Amino acid sequence: MLKFLKKCVIVCLVVFFSTGCSTNLTKSYTFKVETGDSVKVTLDISDKDNLKQKDGQFSIEKNKKVLSQGVFINKSTYEQYVSMLLDNSDVNLSVIDNGKTDDYTYFFYEYKGESGVEHDYVIWLKGSSTGILMGSLKNKKVAQSVFEKLTFEIVDE
């Protein structure tokens, strides 16, 4: 009986320690957007990035420095951005990437403006009336890294 109890304790300890090592750190905010949707924005914070919100907008920071900012947009604004990106007539604007996931479609682009070179995303959340415009004055790699750590979800409240 004592051997059996020892084995049970060992198995329990192995299970406890192996599950305790795989922690996923995230931070989320849910926004009630003017379009009527509720959008949950989640950031993987395992790299010490931080998700902040103020006045219905969000930002991603590291060491108290803003890496990227996001605002919610309606269908008309989204379509204007996509039209501008597909038009390809602005020499200061170039599309870097575009794609789709199960939850959204996006365009990643570079804009050379008065504030410097921006690396921006325009995103449409599938099954919603809401898009997101994200802007970053950091380099392309930083902007991509931030975007890859984010998830967006339409939620019922």
Side-chain angles (χ1 to χ4, degrees):
M1 182 70 163
L2 189 57
K3 281 186 175 183
F4 176 74
L5 285 174
K6 283 182 182 180
K7 285 182 183 180
C8 285
V9 169
I10 290 171
V11 168
C12 287
L13 287 173
V14 168
V15 169
F16 175 76
F17 285 114
S18 64
T19 58
C21 295
S22 61
T23 307
N24 187 10
L25 300 172
T26 61
K27 184 173 183 180
S28 300
Y29 287 106
T30 300
F31 297 87
K32 182 71 174 164
V33 184
E34 289 180 0
T35 61
D37 292 320
S38 291
V39 180
K40 182 177 180 183
V41 178
T42 302
L43 176 68
D44 175 345
I45 58 171
S46 57
D47 287 339
K48 308 291 186 226
D49 293 343
N50 191 20
L51 178 64
K52 292 197 165 192
Q53 67 85 25
K54 183 177 181 182
D55 299 328
Q57 301 179 12
F58 63 93
S59 63
I60 296 85
E61 299 180 1
K62 187 173 205 116
N63 299 323
K64 298 189 179 190
K65 294 187 180 184
V66 175
L67 302 178
S68 187
Q69 299 177 34
V71 297
F72 298 97
I73 57 176
N74 61 30
K75 183 77 168 176
S76 174
T77 304
Y78 173 80
E79 288 172 346
Q80 288 174 357
Y81 271 89
V82 170
S83 177
M84 179 181 62
L85 291 169
L86 296 176
D87 180 35
N88 209 16
S89 64
D90 188 338
V91 295
N92 294 315
L93 185 68
S94 60
V95 175
I96 298 169
D97 188 23
N98 67 313
K100 297 178 181 182
T101 71
D102 290 341
D103 300 318
Y104 56 84
T105 60
Y106 70 91
F107 284 85
F108 179 36
Y109 62 96
E110 180 178 276
Y111 179 73
K112 296 173 185 155
E114 293 178 17
S115 300
V117 178
E118 296 179 27
H119 292 94
D120 300 338
Y121 283 87
V122 62
I123 305 155
W124 187 254
L125 303 175
K126 292 181 182 176
S128 79
S129 302
T130 304
I132 300 170
L133 183 61
M134 288 182 54
S136 175
L137 288 171
K138 302 297 181 188
N139 65 45
K140 176 181 160 185
K141 185 177 177 180
V142 170
Q144 281 179 307
S145 175
V146 167
F147 181 70
E148 291 168 359
K149 294 176 191 176
L150 287 165
T151 58
F152 309 102
E153 179 184 0
I154 300 297
V155 295
D156 297 324
E157 287 205 12

